[in-house]
């Protein structure tokens, strides 16, 4: 598998996913198997089921047509995700395509324009009245390590990778 193509595929897929889920309502969260998560969403007038399998070698993220059976007792991570994300709207995503991660602010108006503040790890509303004095949680979908809830994005999240100078790139061809 070509890492350059994988990076390009990640960037395009993340941008499309961000566009589709901007303003979506998170309805259900399940963990049918270790390392596998399903997110029931309502976006653009339709119910969607986003399936995430996280691992280093062959992760995947896609919309599924069928429901997976779920365990009677959900894992602790699923319960934490439900606590902060269930029945809440997703805001405009911050994308870190080089690390195959995408983060959505949770519980914000769909018109939220993330901008540079979101990439610096600040809460979109900075703990204002609008967020009840609390920092806005972020739902981080990481293809390698899985989903998690964060209250600030990691330093360097979404930073452009270091690209070689044009002259160097031309000399390599």
């Amino acid at each position: 598998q070509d890492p350059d193509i994988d990076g390009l595929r990640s960037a395009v897929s993340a941008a499309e996913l961000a566009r589709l889920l901007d303003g979506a309502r998170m309805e259900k969260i399940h963990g049918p198997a270790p390392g596998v998560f399903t997110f029931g969403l309502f976006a653009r007038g339709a119910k969607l089921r986003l399936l995430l399998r996280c691992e280093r070698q062959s992760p995947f993220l896609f919309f599924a047509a069928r429901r997976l059976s779920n365990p009677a007792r959900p894992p602790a991570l699923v319960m934490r995700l439900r606590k902060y994300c269930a029945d809440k709207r997703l805001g405009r995503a911050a994308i870190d395509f080089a690390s195959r991660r995408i983060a959505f602010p949770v519980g914000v108006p769909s018109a939220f324009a993330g901008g540079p503040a979101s990439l610096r790890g600040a809460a979109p509303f900075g703990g204002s009245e609008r967020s009840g004095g609390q920092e806005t949680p972020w739902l981080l979908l990481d293809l390698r390590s899985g989903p998690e809830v964060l209250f600030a994005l990691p330093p360097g999240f979404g930073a452009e990778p270091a690209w070689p100078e044009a002259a160097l790139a031309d000399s390599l061809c």
Side-chain angles (χ1 to χ4, degrees):
Q1 186 170 345
D2 185 356
D4 296 331
I5 298 298
D6 188 43
L8 179 62
R9 188 179 320 130
S10 295
V12 171
S13 299
E16 183 64 15
L17 184 65
R19 187 188 67 75
L20 284 172
L21 298 185
D22 183 20
R25 188 177 72 242
M26 180 73 68
E27 292 183 337
K28 297 183 185 265
I29 303 167
H30 297 287
V36 178
F37 300 88
T38 57
F39 301 92
L41 300 148
F42 187 79
R44 303 183 185 274
K47 288 190 176 207
L48 304 171
R49 214 173 275 112
L50 184 66
L51 183 68
L52 167 68
R53 176 178 162 213
C54 48
E55 71 168 29
R56 290 201 170 276
Q57 294 299 318
S58 57
F60 54 77
L61 180 69
F62 64 91
F63 289 104
R66 300 180 67 198
R67 287 186 65 203
L68 299 176
S69 59
N70 295 295
R73 298 189 65 190
L77 175 57
V78 170
M79 295 304 289
R80 179 173 166 78
L81 292 169
R82 287 178 183 175
K83 176 181 177 179
Y84 289 102
C85 303
D87 295 323
K88 303 239 174 42
R89 291 213 177 265
L90 302 179
R92 182 158 304 151
I95 300 169
D96 188 8
F97 80 89
S99 297
R100 300 191 307 182
R101 302 183 297 182
I102 186 169
F104 295 91
V106 179
V108 298
S110 61
F112 166 65
S118 65
L119 297 178
R120 286 194 302 269
F125 299 117
S128 69
E129 284 180 77
R130 205 158 185 187
S131 61
Q134 301 290 319
E135 287 189 350
T136 301
W138 290 83
L139 171 62
L140 176 70
L141 301 178
D142 187 326
L143 290 178
R144 292 183 180 128
S145 61
E148 63 180 300
V149 174
L150 304 173
F151 290 94
L153 294 178
F157 189 94
E160 287 276 332
W163 300 104
E165 294 294 323
L168 174 63
D170 288 341
S171 70
L172 296 174
C173 295

mmCIF file of all heavy atoms in Angstrom, residues 29-78:
data_model
loop_
_atom_site.group_PDB
_atom_site.id
_atom_site.type_symbol
_atom_site.label_atom_id
_atom_site.label_comp_id
_atom_site.label_asym_id
_atom_site.label_seq_id
_atom_site.Cartn_x
_atom_site.Cartn_y
_atom_site.Cartn_z
ATOM 1 N N ILE A 29 -24.683 5.253 20.241
ATOM 2 C CA ILE A 29 -23.283 4.837 20.178
ATOM 3 C C ILE A 29 -23.209 3.423 20.731
ATOM 4 O O ILE A 29 -23.722 3.147 21.822
ATOM 5 C CB ILE A 29 -22.382 5.772 20.998
ATOM 6 C CG1 ILE A 29 -22.546 7.209 20.495
ATOM 7 C CG2 ILE A 29 -20.925 5.329 20.926
ATOM 8 C CD1 ILE A 29 -21.953 8.250 21.402
ATOM 9 N N HIS A 30 -22.580 2.528 19.972
ATOM 10 C CA HIS A 30 -22.455 1.134 20.391
ATOM 11 C C HIS A 30 -21.034 0.636 20.161
ATOM 12 O O HIS A 30 -20.300 1.177 19.334
ATOM 13 C CB HIS A 30 -23.423 0.235 19.618
ATOM 14 C CG HIS A 30 -24.858 0.556 19.857
ATOM 15 N ND1 HIS A 30 -25.496 0.257 21.031
ATOM 16 C CD2 HIS A 30 -25.769 1.179 19.079
ATOM 17 C CE1 HIS A 30 -26.758 0.668 20.969
ATOM 18 N NE2 HIS A 30 -26.938 1.231 19.784
ATOM 19 N N GLY A 31 -20.678 -0.405 20.881
ATOM 20 C CA GLY A 31 -19.391 -1.075 20.713
ATOM 21 C C GLY A 31 -19.630 -2.563 20.529
ATOM 22 O O GLY A 31 -19.513 -3.325 21.478
ATOM 23 N N PRO A 32 -19.979 -3.005 19.326
ATOM 24 C CA PRO A 32 -20.349 -4.403 19.105
ATOM 25 C C PRO A 32 -19.215 -5.405 19.298
ATOM 26 O O PRO A 32 -19.468 -6.569 19.566
ATOM 27 C CB PRO A 32 -20.863 -4.431 17.673
ATOM 28 C CG PRO A 32 -20.323 -3.217 17.031
ATOM 29 C CD PRO A 32 -20.097 -2.213 18.111
ATOM 30 N N ALA A 33 -17.957 -4.962 19.174
ATOM 31 C CA ALA A 33 -16.804 -5.861 19.322
ATOM 32 C C ALA A 33 -15.610 -5.019 19.759
ATOM 33 O O ALA A 33 -15.617 -3.797 19.581
ATOM 34 C CB ALA A 33 -16.507 -6.566 18.002
ATOM 35 N N PRO A 34 -14.584 -5.639 20.325
ATOM 36 C CA PRO A 34 -13.400 -4.862 20.706
ATOM 37 C C PRO A 34 -12.803 -4.136 19.489
ATOM 38 O O PRO A 34 -12.592 -4.731 18.441
ATOM 39 C CB PRO A 34 -12.429 -5.919 21.236
ATOM 40 C CG PRO A 34 -13.301 -7.052 21.666
ATOM 41 C CD PRO A 34 -14.470 -7.048 20.719
ATOM 42 N N GLY A 35 -12.615 -2.821 19.639
ATOM 43 C CA GLY A 35 -12.049 -2.023 18.560
ATOM 44 C C GLY A 35 -13.027 -1.652 17.463
ATOM 45 O O GLY A 35 -12.635 -1.059 16.468
ATOM 46 N N VAL A 36 -14.312 -1.977 17.626
ATOM 47 C CA VAL A 36 -15.335 -1.661 16.622
ATOM 48 C C VAL A 36 -16.414 -0.813 17.297
ATOM 49 O O VAL A 36 -16.902 -1.151 18.375
ATOM 50 C CB VAL A 36 -15.966 -2.937 16.020
ATOM 51 C CG1 VAL A 36 -17.059 -2.585 15.021
ATOM 52 C CG2 VAL A 36 -14.901 -3.792 15.366
ATOM 53 N N PHE A 37 -16.781 0.293 16.630
ATOM 54 C CA PHE A 37 -17.776 1.212 17.185
ATOM 55 C C PHE A 37 -18.766 1.579 16.096
ATOM 56 O O PHE A 37 -18.392 1.742 14.930
ATOM 57 C CB PHE A 37 -17.085 2.489 17.688
ATOM 58 C CG PHE A 37 -16.083 2.217 18.762
ATOM 59 C CD1 PHE A 37 -14.775 1.919 18.430
ATOM 60 C CD2 PHE A 37 -16.452 2.218 20.094
ATOM 61 C CE1 PHE A 37 -13.835 1.643 19.410
ATOM 62 C CE2 PHE A 37 -15.517 1.941 21.075
ATOM 63 C CZ PHE A 37 -14.213 1.653 20.741
ATOM 64 N N THR A 38 -20.035 1.716 16.487
ATOM 65 C CA THR A 38 -21.046 2.197 15.555
ATOM 66 C C THR A 38 -21.661 3.458 16.143
ATOM 67 O O THR A 38 -21.928 3.545 17.344
ATOM 68 C CB THR A 38 -22.147 1.159 15.272
ATOM 69 O OG1 THR A 38 -22.763 0.783 16.496
ATOM 70 C CG2 THR A 38 -21.602 -0.051 14.574
ATOM 71 N N PHE A 39 -21.872 4.444 15.271
ATOM 72 C CA PHE A 39 -22.460 5.718 15.659
ATOM 73 C C PHE A 39 -23.728 5.917 14.845
ATOM 74 O O PHE A 39 -23.668 5.980 13.614
ATOM 75 C CB PHE A 39 -21.481 6.865 15.386
ATOM 76 C CG PHE A 39 -20.180 6.726 16.119
ATOM 77 C CD1 PHE A 39 -19.103 6.097 15.524
ATOM 78 C CD2 PHE A 39 -20.030 7.215 17.405
ATOM 79 C CE1 PHE A 39 -17.901 5.953 16.187
ATOM 80 C CE2 PHE A 39 -18.829 7.078 18.085
ATOM 81 C CZ PHE A 39 -17.762 6.444 17.485
ATOM 82 N N GLY A 40 -24.863 5.988 15.536
ATOM 83 C CA GLY A 40 -26.127 6.274 14.865
ATOM 84 C C GLY A 40 -26.296 7.784 14.800
ATOM 85 O O GLY A 40 -26.256 8.465 15.823
ATOM 86 N N LEU A 41 -26.453 8.311 13.608
ATOM 87 C CA LEU A 41 -26.517 9.754 13.393
ATOM 88 C C LEU A 41 -27.754 10.121 12.596
ATOM 89 O O LEU A 41 -28.273 9.310 11.823
ATOM 90 C CB LEU A 41 -25.282 10.219 12.610
ATOM 91 C CG LEU A 41 -23.942 9.941 13.268
ATOM 92 C CD1 LEU A 41 -22.882 9.683 12.225
ATOM 93 C CD2 LEU A 41 -23.562 11.109 14.139
ATOM 94 N N PHE A 42 -28.213 11.347 12.780
ATOM 95 C CA PHE A 42 -29.270 11.892 11.935
ATOM 96 C C PHE A 42 -28.685 13.117 11.267
ATOM 97 O O PHE A 42 -28.352 14.106 11.925
ATOM 98 C CB PHE A 42 -30.505 12.255 12.756
ATOM 99 C CG PHE A 42 -31.665 12.668 11.902
ATOM 100 C CD1 PHE A 42 -32.436 11.709 11.271
ATOM 101 C CD2 PHE A 42 -31.968 14.005 11.722
ATOM 102 C CE1 PHE A 42 -33.503 12.078 10.464
ATOM 103 C CE2 PHE A 42 -33.025 14.383 10.922
ATOM 104 C CZ PHE A 42 -33.803 13.425 10.294
ATOM 105 N N ALA A 43 -28.481 13.043 9.957
ATOM 106 C CA ALA A 43 -27.846 14.132 9.219
ATOM 107 C C ALA A 43 -28.551 14.353 7.890
ATOM 108 O O ALA A 43 -28.853 13.394 7.183
ATOM 109 C CB ALA A 43 -26.373 13.814 8.961
ATOM 110 N N ARG A 44 -28.794 15.592 7.573
ATOM 111 C CA ARG A 44 -29.376 15.974 6.285
ATOM 112 C C ARG A 44 -30.668 15.218 5.981
ATOM 113 O O ARG A 44 -30.886 14.731 4.874
ATOM 114 C CB ARG A 44 -28.372 15.785 5.169
ATOM 115 C CG ARG A 44 -27.092 16.565 5.423
ATOM 116 C CD ARG A 44 -26.118 16.443 4.293
ATOM 117 N NE ARG A 44 -24.885 17.101 4.614
ATOM 118 C CZ ARG A 44 -24.644 18.399 4.428
ATOM 119 N NH1 ARG A 44 -25.556 19.176 3.942
ATOM 120 N NH2 ARG A 44 -23.469 18.909 4.763
ATOM 121 N N GLY A 45 -31.496 15.049 7.020
ATOM 122 C CA GLY A 45 -32.796 14.420 6.840
ATOM 123 C C GLY A 45 -32.786 12.910 6.753
ATOM 124 O O GLY A 45 -33.799 12.307 6.417
ATOM 125 N N ALA A 46 -31.663 12.271 7.033
ATOM 126 C CA ALA A 46 -31.577 10.810 6.942
ATOM 127 C C ALA A 46 -30.837 10.239 8.140
ATOM 128 O O ALA A 46 -29.966 10.883 8.714
ATOM 129 C CB ALA A 46 -30.859 10.407 5.661
ATOM 130 N N LYS A 47 -31.211 9.011 8.493
ATOM 131 C CA LYS A 47 -30.491 8.300 9.536
ATOM 132 C C LYS A 47 -29.286 7.606 8.914
ATOM 133 O O LYS A 47 -29.411 6.960 7.876
ATOM 134 C CB LYS A 47 -31.390 7.271 10.221
ATOM 135 C CG LYS A 47 -32.421 7.908 11.110
ATOM 136 C CD LYS A 47 -33.123 6.894 11.960
ATOM 137 C CE LYS A 47 -34.061 7.635 12.885
ATOM 138 N NZ LYS A 47 -34.301 6.931 14.102
ATOM 139 N N LEU A 48 -28.139 7.745 9.564
ATOM 140 C CA LEU A 48 -26.906 7.140 9.084
ATOM 141 C C LEU A 48 -26.309 6.279 10.186
ATOM 142 O O LEU A 48 -26.505 6.551 11.368
ATOM 143 C CB LEU A 48 -25.884 8.224 8.702
ATOM 144 C CG LEU A 48 -26.314 9.260 7.683
ATOM 145 C CD1 LEU A 48 -25.282 10.363 7.577
ATOM 146 C CD2 LEU A 48 -26.527 8.609 6.328
ATOM 147 N N ARG A 49 -25.576 5.266 9.787
ATOM 148 C CA ARG A 49 -24.860 4.406 10.729
ATOM 149 C C ARG A 49 -23.388 4.406 10.322
ATOM 150 O O ARG A 49 -23.030 3.831 9.298
ATOM 151 C CB ARG A 49 -25.440 2.992 10.663
ATOM 152 C CG ARG A 49 -25.431 2.300 11.977
ATOM 153 C CD ARG A 49 -26.174 0.967 11.907
ATOM 154 N NE ARG A 49 -27.604 1.149 12.113
ATOM 155 C CZ ARG A 49 -28.537 0.961 11.190
ATOM 156 N NH1 ARG A 49 -28.231 0.578 9.991
ATOM 157 N NH2 ARG A 49 -29.798 1.137 11.473
ATOM 158 N N LEU A 50 -22.546 5.079 11.117
ATOM 159 C CA LEU A 50 -21.125 5.158 10.837
ATOM 160 C C LEU A 50 -20.407 4.057 11.599
ATOM 161 O O LEU A 50 -20.572 3.934 12.814
ATOM 162 C CB LEU A 50 -20.585 6.535 11.259
ATOM 163 C CG LEU A 50 -19.131 6.830 10.942
ATOM 164 C CD1 LEU A 50 -18.910 6.912 9.435
ATOM 165 C CD2 LEU A 50 -18.716 8.138 11.606
ATOM 166 N N LEU A 51 -19.649 3.258 10.896
ATOM 167 C CA LEU A 51 -18.935 2.136 11.501
ATOM 168 C C LEU A 51 -17.444 2.446 11.500
ATOM 169 O O LEU A 51 -16.890 2.813 10.468
ATOM 170 C CB LEU A 51 -19.208 0.852 10.719
ATOM 171 C CG LEU A 51 -18.600 -0.423 11.261
ATOM 172 C CD1 LEU A 51 -19.249 -0.818 12.574
ATOM 173 C CD2 LEU A 51 -18.758 -1.547 10.267
ATOM 174 N N LEU A 52 -16.817 2.318 12.667
ATOM 175 C CA LEU A 52 -15.385 2.570 12.819
ATOM 176 C C LEU A 52 -14.716 1.340 13.400
ATOM 177 O O LEU A 52 -15.155 0.813 14.426
ATOM 178 C CB LEU A 52 -15.146 3.760 13.758
ATOM 179 C CG LEU A 52 -13.721 3.968 14.272
ATOM 180 C CD1 LEU A 52 -12.791 4.377 13.147
ATOM 181 C CD2 LEU A 52 -13.707 5.013 15.373
ATOM 182 N N ARG A 53 -13.690 0.868 12.709
ATOM 183 C CA ARG A 53 -12.836 -0.196 13.255
ATOM 184 C C ARG A 53 -11.445 0.410 13.349
ATOM 185 O O ARG A 53 -10.893 0.861 12.351
ATOM 186 C CB ARG A 53 -12.801 -1.415 12.347
ATOM 187 C CG ARG A 53 -11.839 -2.464 12.872
ATOM 188 C CD ARG A 53 -11.861 -3.684 11.990
ATOM 189 N NE ARG A 53 -10.676 -4.473 12.240
ATOM 190 C CZ ARG A 53 -10.064 -5.186 11.326
ATOM 191 N NH1 ARG A 53 -10.529 -5.225 10.099
ATOM 192 N NH2 ARG A 53 -9.013 -5.874 11.618
ATOM 193 N N CYS A 54 -10.921 0.439 14.555
ATOM 194 C CA CYS A 54 -9.624 1.090 14.744
ATOM 195 C C CYS A 54 -8.545 0.051 15.018
ATOM 196 O O CYS A 54 -8.721 -0.842 15.831
ATOM 197 C CB CYS A 54 -9.712 2.096 15.884
ATOM 198 S SG CYS A 54 -10.494 1.463 17.355
ATOM 199 N N GLU A 55 -7.478 0.182 14.267
ATOM 200 C CA GLU A 55 -6.277 -0.620 14.477
ATOM 201 C C GLU A 55 -5.203 -0.072 13.546
ATOM 202 O O GLU A 55 -5.489 0.692 12.630
ATOM 203 C CB GLU A 55 -6.511 -2.107 14.243
ATOM 204 C CG GLU A 55 -6.725 -2.503 12.821
ATOM 205 C CD GLU A 55 -6.666 -4.007 12.639
ATOM 206 O OE1 GLU A 55 -6.988 -4.765 13.559
ATOM 207 O OE2 GLU A 55 -6.280 -4.410 11.544
ATOM 208 N N ARG A 56 -3.980 -0.443 13.778
ATOM 209 C CA ARG A 56 -2.867 0.120 13.001
ATOM 210 C C ARG A 56 -2.801 -0.428 11.574
ATOM 211 O O ARG A 56 -2.556 0.301 10.630
ATOM 212 C CB ARG A 56 -1.541 -0.148 13.705
ATOM 213 C CG ARG A 56 -1.398 0.662 14.952
ATOM 214 C CD ARG A 56 0.064 0.781 15.346
ATOM 215 N NE ARG A 56 0.230 1.745 16.398
ATOM 216 C CZ ARG A 56 0.339 3.051 16.217
ATOM 217 N NH1 ARG A 56 0.256 3.543 15.027
ATOM 218 N NH2 ARG A 56 0.518 3.854 17.227
ATOM 219 N N GLN A 57 -3.000 -1.713 11.383
ATOM 220 C CA GLN A 57 -2.773 -2.320 10.071
ATOM 221 C C GLN A 57 -3.907 -2.091 9.079
ATOM 222 O O GLN A 57 -3.661 -1.736 7.939
ATOM 223 C CB GLN A 57 -2.532 -3.831 10.221
ATOM 224 C CG GLN A 57 -1.256 -4.163 10.956
ATOM 225 C CD GLN A 57 -0.027 -3.629 10.231
ATOM 226 O OE1 GLN A 57 0.067 -3.711 9.013
ATOM 227 N NE2 GLN A 57 0.898 -3.061 10.973
ATOM 228 N N SER A 58 -5.130 -2.338 9.489
ATOM 229 C CA SER A 58 -6.232 -2.207 8.528
ATOM 230 C C SER A 58 -7.478 -1.612 9.188
ATOM 231 O O SER A 58 -8.479 -2.294 9.375
ATOM 232 C CB SER A 58 -6.555 -3.563 7.903
ATOM 233 O OG SER A 58 -6.859 -4.491 8.918
ATOM 234 N N PRO A 59 -7.420 -0.321 9.505
ATOM 235 C CA PRO A 59 -8.616 0.322 10.062
ATOM 236 C C PRO A 59 -9.616 0.621 8.944
ATOM 237 O O PRO A 59 -9.259 0.623 7.763
ATOM 238 C CB PRO A 59 -8.059 1.625 10.637
ATOM 239 C CG PRO A 59 -6.901 1.931 9.764
ATOM 240 C CD PRO A 59 -6.307 0.599 9.390
ATOM 241 N N PHE A 60 -10.871 0.840 9.320
ATOM 242 C CA PHE A 60 -11.821 1.306 8.323
ATOM 243 C C PHE A 60 -12.896 2.154 8.966
ATOM 244 O O PHE A 60 -13.147 2.074 10.164
ATOM 245 C CB PHE A 60 -12.423 0.176 7.485
ATOM 246 C CG PHE A 60 -13.072 -0.936 8.252
ATOM 247 C CD1 PHE A 60 -14.316 -0.792 8.817
ATOM 248 C CD2 PHE A 60 -12.427 -2.164 8.371
ATOM 249 C CE1 PHE A 60 -14.919 -1.837 9.502
ATOM 250 C CE2 PHE A 60 -13.024 -3.217 9.051
ATOM 251 C CZ PHE A 60 -14.272 -3.054 9.616
ATOM 252 N N LEU A 61 -13.484 2.993 8.157
ATOM 253 C CA LEU A 61 -14.535 3.909 8.560
ATOM 254 C C LEU A 61 -15.475 4.040 7.375
ATOM 255 O O LEU A 61 -15.053 4.458 6.290
ATOM 256 C CB LEU A 61 -13.911 5.270 8.905
ATOM 257 C CG LEU A 61 -14.839 6.390 9.351
ATOM 258 C CD1 LEU A 61 -15.427 6.077 10.719
ATOM 259 C CD2 LEU A 61 -14.069 7.703 9.414
ATOM 260 N N PHE A 62 -16.730 3.624 7.554
ATOM 261 C CA PHE A 62 -17.677 3.700 6.447
ATOM 262 C C PHE A 62 -19.095 3.737 6.992
ATOM 263 O O PHE A 62 -19.338 3.484 8.171
ATOM 264 C CB PHE A 62 -17.506 2.520 5.480
ATOM 265 C CG PHE A 62 -17.805 1.175 6.075
ATOM 266 C CD1 PHE A 62 -19.081 0.628 6.005
ATOM 267 C CD2 PHE A 62 -16.807 0.441 6.691
ATOM 268 C CE1 PHE A 62 -19.361 -0.615 6.545
ATOM 269 C CE2 PHE A 62 -17.074 -0.804 7.237
ATOM 270 C CZ PHE A 62 -18.356 -1.331 7.163
ATOM 271 N N PHE A 63 -20.035 4.076 6.113
ATOM 272 C CA PHE A 63 -21.447 4.068 6.478
ATOM 273 C C PHE A 63 -21.999 2.682 6.198
ATOM 274 O O PHE A 63 -21.822 2.140 5.113
ATOM 275 C CB PHE A 63 -22.222 5.128 5.690
ATOM 276 C CG PHE A 63 -21.888 6.524 6.134
ATOM 277 C CD1 PHE A 63 -21.063 7.320 5.373
ATOM 278 C CD2 PHE A 63 -22.377 7.012 7.324
ATOM 279 C CE1 PHE A 63 -20.738 8.599 5.784
ATOM 280 C CE2 PHE A 63 -22.058 8.287 7.752
ATOM 281 C CZ PHE A 63 -21.242 9.079 6.983
ATOM 282 N N ALA A 64 -22.653 2.093 7.196
ATOM 283 C CA ALA A 64 -23.179 0.736 7.089
ATOM 284 C C ALA A 64 -24.698 0.778 6.898
ATOM 285 O O ALA A 64 -25.376 1.647 7.452
ATOM 286 C CB ALA A 64 -22.838 -0.060 8.343
ATOM 287 N N ALA A 65 -25.205 -0.171 6.158
ATOM 288 C CA ALA A 65 -26.640 -0.259 5.917
ATOM 289 C C ALA A 65 -27.349 -1.075 7.004
ATOM 290 O O ALA A 65 -28.507 -0.835 7.308
ATOM 291 C CB ALA A 65 -26.898 -0.886 4.552
ATOM 292 N N ARG A 66 -26.629 -2.028 7.615
ATOM 293 C CA ARG A 66 -27.254 -2.926 8.584
ATOM 294 C C ARG A 66 -26.734 -2.660 9.987
ATOM 295 O O ARG A 66 -25.616 -2.222 10.170
ATOM 296 C CB ARG A 66 -26.958 -4.370 8.197
ATOM 297 C CG ARG A 66 -27.509 -4.702 6.812
ATOM 298 C CD ARG A 66 -27.236 -6.107 6.421
ATOM 299 N NE ARG A 66 -27.986 -7.005 7.283
ATOM 300 C CZ ARG A 66 -27.714 -8.290 7.421
ATOM 301 N NH1 ARG A 66 -26.725 -8.831 6.762
ATOM 302 N NH2 ARG A 66 -28.436 -9.045 8.209
ATOM 303 N N ARG A 67 -27.566 -2.991 10.962
ATOM 304 C CA ARG A 67 -27.170 -2.883 12.365
ATOM 305 C C ARG A 67 -26.357 -4.102 12.757
ATOM 306 O O ARG A 67 -26.619 -5.214 12.309
ATOM 307 C CB ARG A 67 -28.409 -2.845 13.269
ATOM 308 C CG ARG A 67 -29.150 -1.541 13.211
ATOM 309 C CD ARG A 67 -30.273 -1.508 14.213
ATOM 310 N NE ARG A 67 -29.700 -1.568 15.558
ATOM 311 C CZ ARG A 67 -30.354 -1.991 16.626
ATOM 312 N NH1 ARG A 67 -31.587 -2.410 16.519
ATOM 313 N NH2 ARG A 67 -29.781 -2.008 17.799
ATOM 314 N N LEU A 68 -25.382 -3.879 13.617
ATOM 315 C CA LEU A 68 -24.627 -4.985 14.192
ATOM 316 C C LEU A 68 -25.213 -5.315 15.557
ATOM 317 O O LEU A 68 -25.737 -4.432 16.241
ATOM 318 C CB LEU A 68 -23.153 -4.592 14.359
ATOM 319 C CG LEU A 68 -22.402 -4.222 13.083
ATOM 320 C CD1 LEU A 68 -20.993 -3.764 13.422
ATOM 321 C CD2 LEU A 68 -22.349 -5.406 12.142
ATOM 322 N N SER A 69 -25.136 -6.564 15.966
ATOM 323 C CA SER A 69 -25.630 -6.909 17.295
ATOM 324 C C SER A 69 -24.656 -6.366 18.336
ATOM 325 O O SER A 69 -23.446 -6.308 18.121
ATOM 326 C CB SER A 69 -25.796 -8.416 17.440
ATOM 327 O OG SER A 69 -24.565 -9.054 17.217
ATOM 328 N N ASN A 70 -25.192 -5.935 19.459
ATOM 329 C CA ASN A 70 -24.394 -5.299 20.491
ATOM 330 C C ASN A 70 -24.416 -6.108 21.772
ATOM 331 O O ASN A 70 -25.397 -6.785 22.067
ATOM 332 C CB ASN A 70 -24.926 -3.893 20.762
ATOM 333 C CG ASN A 70 -24.751 -2.999 19.570
ATOM 334 O OD1 ASN A 70 -23.630 -2.716 19.193
ATOM 335 N ND2 ASN A 70 -25.848 -2.592 18.954
ATOM 336 N N PRO A 71 -23.347 -6.021 22.570
ATOM 337 C CA PRO A 71 -23.328 -6.762 23.833
ATOM 338 C C PRO A 71 -24.344 -6.169 24.821
ATOM 339 O O PRO A 71 -24.696 -4.992 24.733
ATOM 340 C CB PRO A 71 -21.889 -6.560 24.342
ATOM 341 C CG PRO A 71 -21.414 -5.319 23.672
ATOM 342 C CD PRO A 71 -22.127 -5.258 22.354
ATOM 343 N N ALA A 72 -24.799 -7.001 25.735
ATOM 344 C CA ALA A 72 -25.775 -6.557 26.733
ATOM 345 C C ALA A 72 -25.181 -5.477 27.633
ATOM 346 O O ALA A 72 -25.877 -4.558 28.060
ATOM 347 C CB ALA A 72 -26.246 -7.743 27.566
ATOM 348 N N ARG A 73 -23.885 -5.589 27.948
ATOM 349 C CA ARG A 73 -23.214 -4.605 28.796
ATOM 350 C C ARG A 73 -22.148 -3.885 27.971
ATOM 351 O O ARG A 73 -21.132 -4.466 27.633
ATOM 352 C CB ARG A 73 -22.569 -5.292 29.995
ATOM 353 C CG ARG A 73 -23.622 -5.976 30.863
ATOM 354 C CD ARG A 73 -23.054 -6.472 32.135
ATOM 355 N NE ARG A 73 -22.620 -5.315 32.926
ATOM 356 C CZ ARG A 73 -21.897 -5.409 34.023
ATOM 357 N NH1 ARG A 73 -21.508 -6.588 34.455
ATOM 358 N NH2 ARG A 73 -21.544 -4.338 34.686
ATOM 359 N N PRO A 74 -22.385 -2.611 27.655
ATOM 360 C CA PRO A 74 -21.414 -1.886 26.831
ATOM 361 C C PRO A 74 -20.111 -1.625 27.595
ATOM 362 O O PRO A 74 -20.126 -1.475 28.819
ATOM 363 C CB PRO A 74 -22.123 -0.570 26.509
ATOM 364 C CG PRO A 74 -23.236 -0.461 27.461
ATOM 365 C CD PRO A 74 -23.557 -1.826 27.972
ATOM 366 N N PRO A 75 -18.988 -1.547 26.896
ATOM 367 C CA PRO A 75 -17.712 -1.246 27.542
ATOM 368 C C PRO A 75 -17.701 0.179 28.110
ATOM 369 O O PRO A 75 -18.496 1.030 27.706
ATOM 370 C CB PRO A 75 -16.682 -1.379 26.427
ATOM 371 C CG PRO A 75 -17.397 -1.853 25.228
ATOM 372 C CD PRO A 75 -18.860 -1.827 25.488
ATOM 373 N N ALA A 76 -16.788 0.447 29.024
ATOM 374 C CA ALA A 76 -16.697 1.751 29.681
ATOM 375 C C ALA A 76 -16.489 2.880 28.674
ATOM 376 O O ALA A 76 -17.055 3.964 28.829
ATOM 377 C CB ALA A 76 -15.572 1.736 30.707
ATOM 378 N N LEU A 77 -15.678 2.652 27.642
ATOM 379 C CA LEU A 77 -15.439 3.695 26.653
ATOM 380 C C LEU A 77 -16.731 4.082 25.944
ATOM 381 O O LEU A 77 -16.997 5.265 25.705
ATOM 382 C CB LEU A 77 -14.389 3.247 25.627
ATOM 383 C CG LEU A 77 -14.137 4.214 24.466
ATOM 384 C CD1 LEU A 77 -13.722 5.602 24.966
ATOM 385 C CD2 LEU A 77 -13.103 3.651 23.521
ATOM 386 N N VAL A 78 -17.564 3.113 25.622
ATOM 387 C CA VAL A 78 -18.839 3.403 24.970
ATOM 388 C C VAL A 78 -19.722 4.227 25.905
ATOM 389 O O VAL A 78 -20.366 5.193 25.477
ATOM 390 C CB VAL A 78 -19.550 2.103 24.525
ATOM 391 C CG1 VAL A 78 -20.972 2.375 24.069
ATOM 392 C CG2 VAL A 78 -18.760 1.433 23.416
#
